[in-house]
Amino acid sequence: MGVNRDLKKATESYWAGKLSRDALLSEGKRLRHEHWKIQKDAGVDIIPSNDFSYYDQVLDHIELFGVIPDKYSKYNLDPIDEYFALGRGRQVPEEGIDVPSLEMVKWFDSNYHYVKPTFQDNQSFKLKSDPKPLIEFLEAKEAGIITRPVLIGPVSFLFLGKADRDQNVDPISLLDRLLPLYEELLVKLKDAGATTVQIDEPIVVFDLPPRVKAAFKPAYEKLAGLGDKIPKLVFTTFFGDVVHNVDILSAVHALYAVHIDLVRNPEQFDTVIDALGPEQTLSLGVVDGRNIWKTNLKRAIETVENAIQKLGKERVIVASSSSLLHTPHTILSEKKLDVEVKDWFSFAVEKATELVIIAKAVTDGPASVREQLESNAKSIEDRATSKHTNDAKVKERQANITDDLYNRKSPFPIRISQQQQKLNLPKFPTTTIGSFPQTKEIRIQRNRFTKGEITTEEYEKFIEKEIQDVVKIQEELGLDVYVHGEPERNDMVQYFGERLTGYVFTTHAWVQSYGSRCVRPPIIVGDISRPASMSVKESKYAASISKKPMKGMLTGPITCLRWSFPRDDIHQSVQAEQLALALRDEVVDLEAAGIYVIQVDEPALREGLPLRQGLERENYLSWAVKSFRLAVSGVQDSTQIHSHFCYSEFQDFFQAIAALDADVLSIENSKSDAKLLKVFVDEAYPRHIGPGVYDIHSPRIPSEQEIKDRIQEMLQYLSPDQLWIDPDCGLKTRQWKETKAALTNMVNAAKFYREKYSSSA
């Protein structure tokens, strides 16, 4: 994104018609050169290319291989506009264009989202005439830098995709059709001067179906059979261990190198070394690509030296565990952090330097970098003993948790009866997920308040006026359960973190979430507690001016944990429990203030799920569910607890969702096949559900009929008595015009079914 989110600003200006196509492409080129230069100046030997993207790297490969459904290609759009249409949809009524975006899902267990490839039964592939990996390699070469192009491997690309609606193709069956395009591209890269290519096959960390696992051997034997016609390949894995799939490594012995993530799973070291081919090189991911803490250089150097003893220096590469996409740009941009705490952090630019220090220490000896090693050791020791880290009162409260704190007073049938008496909601109740559009004026006033240019009283009056407007709009739209719109909130995690002890915050530490959407995760540095209420004032005011139930909005303990940079010195379950206790106090205070519908969002619950079946996953689900229940179980039966999830693939952990015991679940579902809801039928799920009826990640406005059709699909799997009608997610990033139009259609669709089922009763 650039040091100041340069790419975000450029793409959004292009979408708004304020920046030309050529200017956007020029800004992309500038950023690529800037990032290559940062790495070269740091002393990094192997610099990647084709890791830059205007929206998403998987989407880049969708375009690269021509996996573009006819409903997009038929408009003959400019290539950059077609590319963005795939990622975010495109609606231009005067040109007769109306297409939704492709489905977007989480990238493994990260908070990054990728665009899911969508395949047809008769799928064909065609390499783009000006392939992006080649263009960017030549661009770097012209600048005097020979890079290592990065490709998503063919097996992962297919496995991470899906059959289009009403199609039955098994994506992995398309491998023989796709592989010739990789061959063609690799030959082109070799002819252009590329000596090595990184080929990412991250799905090796999953429990793979036999047919997928079996696909690696013939695919890579075919590529290796091209010999000197193609660059040497680095078979790259990350985000987990490969021990359970170690036979796949045996199948790629002919490749130049293998990369593994030793930050996430250092235990795989010996098994992988034993599985390498006799001349194969090992790339060691010893610098964390997913977190912001300084690397323990002493420990990393020991790991690299151990590998050298077994393999020799010429067969060892020092690397980050994964792409640095998931870390902020540079700590040098942070001018307001506490000096002591700031010394504990390492962002992307600094991690590049850490790699060079580690490599120099094992090549030239520790004495060659003594000053850097001593400074690093001091930082790590200072953090371990800091007053910022430990709070005895928090630990004491955790020690006194009893089993009854995890349970509501009564089972759901009793609760829902009392809730209906209190709330008096109609069939097919409508609501939104929480936030309404954050306008430019809201951002301006928040920035002025932060800078001290307006008083607290002036800012609070402004927020009250925004809440008044949002309540009035919801009244006009005819929604059934209101929200206050969250105008005072900068981010659903940061807002609460700023009101809790144990957190610190940055000003420029942005990371990409999807497309142009960036987030600035807070950092957990110590034990967590709640000094005072965090959201009661705004919710109480909103309820006082509302004619219908007002929903209090909180972010759940797992999402607060997962969407922060967590501590790496204590287990995440301990941090989640501390967050749950703080949120429990807030939930109880909201109820006492007259808020009888409270939504505690857990969109990151699925994201945190360990990638493989087994004890680690079981343990995670146990403590994650307990944390949620601890946060919400202090209220009366008549108070309705909602939760929201940003995904719809529940099969792997449905029992955990049921165990949350939330009265109402809202789920992101508009881009998924409604048949995924069948699991709720199969498991006889008794509580209420609101599958999203339209996609909020796109500016496209769904028609009333489109929403009616979605509801009809849902009613094949859910009963009318348990179905809520809502959008996929919060509306913070949308504009008011499209928001009102979409919600009007949604409410009208709900009224249609309300009338239909009332007349048939």
Side-chain angles (χ1 to χ4, degrees):
M1 281 290 155
V3 67
N4 292 311
R5 292 179 293 162
D6 312 70
L7 184 60
K8 169 189 173 66
K9 296 170 185 176
T11 52
E12 291 180 355
S13 292
Y14 177 73
W15 296 337
K18 299 176 181 178
L19 191 72
S20 70
R21 172 188 177 277
D22 289 346
L24 173 63
L25 298 179
S26 177
E27 177 65 356
K29 183 175 182 179
R30 182 190 69 79
L31 285 169
R32 289 192 293 273
H33 282 257
E34 180 179 288
H35 296 163
W36 291 327
K37 186 175 187 301
I38 286 171
Q39 294 170 84
K40 183 178 181 180
D41 291 349
V44 174
D45 298 310
I46 303 167
I47 297 172
S49 61
N50 197 43
D51 55 343
F52 170 89
S53 178
Y54 285 101
Y55 202 90
D56 165 55
Q57 290 181 35
V58 181
L59 178 55
D60 292 347
H61 286 67
I62 290 171
E63 182 189 47
L64 176 66
F65 297 128
V67 190
I68 301 173
D70 290 342
K71 63 184 176 183
Y72 299 94
S73 59
K74 69 180 183 180
Y75 293 115
N76 296 313
L77 297 170
D78 184 282
I80 192 70
D81 292 328
E82 182 178 77
Y83 173 84
F84 286 134
L86 292 162
R88 62 193 299 266
R90 188 174 180 87
Q91 191 172 48
V92 188
E94 60 271 23
E95 297 178 15
I97 299 174
D98 186 6
V99 287
S101 62
L102 293 176
E103 184 179 3
M104 188 169 61
V105 294
K106 291 293 179 75
W107 179 245
F108 292 73
D109 58 354
S110 76
N111 188 29
Y112 178 77
H113 304 65
Y114 77 95
V115 177
K116 203 173 183 70
T118 301
F119 302 110
Q120 314 301 315
D121 291 347
N122 61 347
Q123 184 68 56
S124 61
F125 300 96
K126 182 179 180 180
L127 187 66
K128 195 175 181 185
S129 59
D130 53 345
K132 178 176 174 289
L134 177 63
I135 296 300
E136 293 183 7
F137 174 81
L138 291 172
E139 186 180 297
K141 183 179 179 182
E142 186 178 346
I145 301 173
I146 300 298
T147 58
R148 174 181 287 171
V150 179
L151 301 176
I152 297 172
V155 183
S156 289
F157 178 71
L158 292 172
F159 182 74
L160 293 170
K162 67 171 186 177
D164 205 349
R165 286 187 181 181
D166 303 321
Q167 301 290 296
N168 299 306
V169 64
D170 177 3
I172 205 66
S173 70
L174 301 171
L175 183 60
D176 288 343
R177 299 184 209 173
L178 176 62
L179 208 57
L181 277 71
Y182 276 85
E183 297 176 29
E184 182 183 353
L185 177 59
L186 289 169
V187 169
K188 288 178 181 292
L189 287 168
K190 178 64 182 287
D191 291 345
T195 56
T196 61
V197 167
Q198 176 180 315
I199 193 155
D200 290 348
E201 291 285 10
I203 66 165
V204 176
V205 304
F206 286 141
D207 293 315
L208 295 172
R211 69 187 189 286
V212 177
K213 193 170 179 178
F216 283 96
K217 188 174 190 295
Y220 282 94
E221 283 182 349
K222 192 167 186 180
L223 293 180
L226 295 172
D228 292 339
K229 294 180 181 178
I230 66 171
K232 294 185 292 185
L233 302 182
V234 181
F235 187 88
T236 303
T237 69
F238 43 80
F239 295 168
D241 76 88
V242 300
V243 171
H244 56 294
N245 285 324
V246 72
D247 50 331
I248 292 176
L249 297 191
S250 300
V252 298
H253 274 175
L255 302 188
Y256 161 63
V258 169
H259 172 86
I260 57 173
D261 183 341
L262 289 176
V263 174
R264 182 67 70 89
N265 285 93
E267 305 82 14
Q268 64 182 316
F269 178 85
D270 288 328
T271 301
V272 172
I273 288 228
D274 291 341
L276 290 176
E279 298 180 357
Q280 209 162 28
T281 293
L282 181 60
S283 174
L284 302 171
V286 292
V287 170
D288 195 348
R290 289 275 297 271
N291 214 328
I292 45 69
W293 304 104
K294 280 187 174 179
T295 301
N296 185 322
L297 295 181
K298 179 176 181 294
R299 187 182 304 153
I301 290 167
E302 289 171 353
T303 298
V304 176
E305 287 178 334
N306 190 10
I308 289 173
Q309 289 175 8
K310 296 175 182 290
L311 300 173
K313 284 186 179 180
E314 71 284 353
R315 292 178 60 198
V316 175
I317 296 172
V318 178
S320 59
S321 62
S322 65
S323 163
L324 297 178
L325 170 75
H326 311 286
T327 55
H329 194 276
T330 176
I331 193 67
L332 296 178
S333 298
E334 301 304 324
K335 309 299 184 184
K336 297 182 179 181
L337 275 175
D338 178 279
V339 174
E340 178 190 4
V341 173
K342 182 178 178 179
D343 184 55
W344 304 342
F345 303 146
S346 174
F347 294 174
V349 170
E350 291 72 39
K351 288 179 185 292
T353 299
E354 287 181 336
L355 290 170
V356 174
I357 293 170
I358 295 166
K360 189 170 179 59
V362 297
T363 302
D364 300 335
S368 64
V369 285
R370 178 177 290 112
E371 183 179 340
Q372 294 96 319
L373 296 181
E374 289 176 350
S375 175
N376 177 263
K378 185 177 185 304
S379 297
I380 291 170
E381 175 62 24
D382 288 348
R383 178 186 166 205
T385 57
S386 172
K387 68 180 187 301
H388 291 287
T389 305
N390 303 292
D391 187 329
K393 291 182 179 179
V394 173
K395 291 180 170 63
E396 181 181 1
R397 189 179 183 192
Q398 285 183 278
N400 291 325
I401 293 173
T402 55
D403 288 345
D404 62 296
L405 296 181
Y406 296 112
N407 299 308
R408 297 287 296 272
K409 292 178 173 59
S410 303
F412 176 72
I414 295 174
R415 299 199 308 263
I416 195 64
S417 176
Q418 293 188 25
Q419 291 162 15
Q420 187 57 26
Q421 290 178 29
K422 181 181 284 287
L423 301 174
N424 192 30
L425 296 174
K427 197 182 292 287
F428 301 105
T430 56
T431 189
T432 61
I433 302 305
S435 58
F436 271 94
Q438 292 249 329
T439 63
K440 182 178 180 180
E441 182 61 21
I442 289 175
R443 294 192 295 271
I444 289 172
Q445 293 302 320
R446 183 187 299 135
N447 190 42
R448 292 184 66 200
F449 176 62
T450 301
K451 292 180 176 180
E453 295 175 0
I454 58 175
T455 66
T456 299
E457 182 180 3
E458 288 173 322
Y459 182 64
E460 290 179 349
K461 287 292 184 185
F462 170 77
I463 293 298
E464 284 188 357
K465 177 61 168 59
E466 289 292 322
I467 293 172
Q468 291 169 19
D469 292 344
V470 166
V471 169
K472 182 179 180 182
I473 288 169
Q474 291 173 95
E475 288 178 355
E476 294 170 349
L477 289 168
L479 290 162
D480 300 305
V481 175
Y482 297 170
V483 296
H484 78 281
E486 305 177 17
E488 79 286 4
R489 301 185 188 181
N490 44 16
D491 174 82
M492 64 184 292
V493 175
Q494 181 180 344
Y495 177 81
F496 292 104
E498 287 173 344
R499 287 151 180 81
L500 297 169
T501 63
Y503 272 98
V504 298
F505 301 89
T506 61
T507 55
H508 292 82
W510 299 95
V511 293
Q512 186 182 16
S513 177
Y514 65 86
S516 68
R517 168 78 168 150
C518 296
V519 294
R520 186 158 41 95
I523 303 170
I524 303 175
V525 297
D527 293 331
I528 298 163
S529 62
R530 185 195 78 145
S533 66
M534 302 180 286
S535 66
V536 173
K537 182 177 181 179
E538 292 79 12
S539 294
K540 184 176 181 179
Y541 174 73
S544 74
I545 60 171
S546 301
K547 298 176 181 178
K548 292 185 179 179
M550 177 59 60
K551 184 165 56 173
M553 300 298 304
L554 302 174
T555 304
I558 303 305
T559 301
C560 282
L561 174 68
R562 295 290 308 181
W563 290 1
S564 303
F565 288 117
R567 295 170 66 177
D568 62 355
D569 58 336
I570 62 172
H571 197 272
Q572 291 194 10
S573 62
V574 178
Q575 299 169 71
E577 188 175 74
Q578 292 175 357
L579 285 160
L581 287 170
L583 289 166
R584 182 185 182 92
D585 296 340
E586 188 72 8
V587 169
V588 170
D589 284 353
L590 281 169
E591 182 186 56
I595 308 298
Y596 302 119
V597 182
I598 302 172
Q599 182 171 309
V600 181
D601 289 343
E602 282 293 19
L605 183 67
R606 173 65 178 83
E607 172 190 314
L609 191 70
L611 298 174
R612 297 183 55 220
Q613 299 281 356
L615 184 60
E616 183 185 4
R617 180 177 287 193
E618 292 170 10
N619 289 340
Y620 164 76
L621 289 173
S622 175
W623 60 256
V625 167
K626 289 176 70 175
S627 295
F628 180 86
R629 293 177 65 129
L630 179 62
V632 304
S633 294
V635 296
Q636 300 300 312
D637 288 343
S638 57
T639 294
Q640 190 169 81
I641 296 296
H642 290 224
S643 191
H644 173 67
F645 301 90
C646 286
Y647 48 83
S648 57
E649 296 178 354
F650 306 107
Q651 296 84 341
D652 290 342
F653 70 121
F654 182 84
Q655 295 304 322
I657 290 179
L660 294 175
D661 199 28
D663 300 306
V664 181
L665 295 179
S666 59
I667 57 179
E668 183 176 331
N669 187 72
S670 70
K671 303 307 292 299
S672 302
D673 196 317
K675 67 185 179 184
L676 292 174
L677 298 172
K678 186 174 182 293
V679 67
F680 289 95
V681 178
D682 294 342
E683 300 292 339
Y685 186 78
R687 292 178 282 278
H688 289 192
I689 312 169
V693 296
Y694 76 89
D695 178 22
I696 63 85
H697 300 101
S698 168
R700 179 179 173 272
I701 300 167
S703 69
E704 181 179 326
Q705 186 59 49
E706 184 178 331
I707 295 175
K708 286 179 181 177
D709 292 343
R710 290 297 289 170
I711 294 172
Q712 185 60 49
E713 289 179 344
M714 294 169 186
L715 287 170
Q716 297 176 41
Y717 304 99
L718 304 172
S719 77
D721 291 332
Q722 69 179 152
L723 184 59
W724 284 61
I725 310 300
D726 47 51
D728 254 352
C729 202
L731 300 164
K732 175 181 178 179
T733 61
R734 302 273 53 91
Q735 301 296 315
W736 268 115
K737 182 179 179 181
E738 68 206 42
T739 295
K740 290 179 181 179
L743 289 177
T744 296
N745 293 341
M746 185 188 85
V747 170
N748 288 340
K751 288 179 178 178
F752 170 83
Y753 281 99
R754 194 174 297 158
E755 182 177 338
K756 177 179 178 180
Y757 279 83
S758 295
S759 61
S760 64

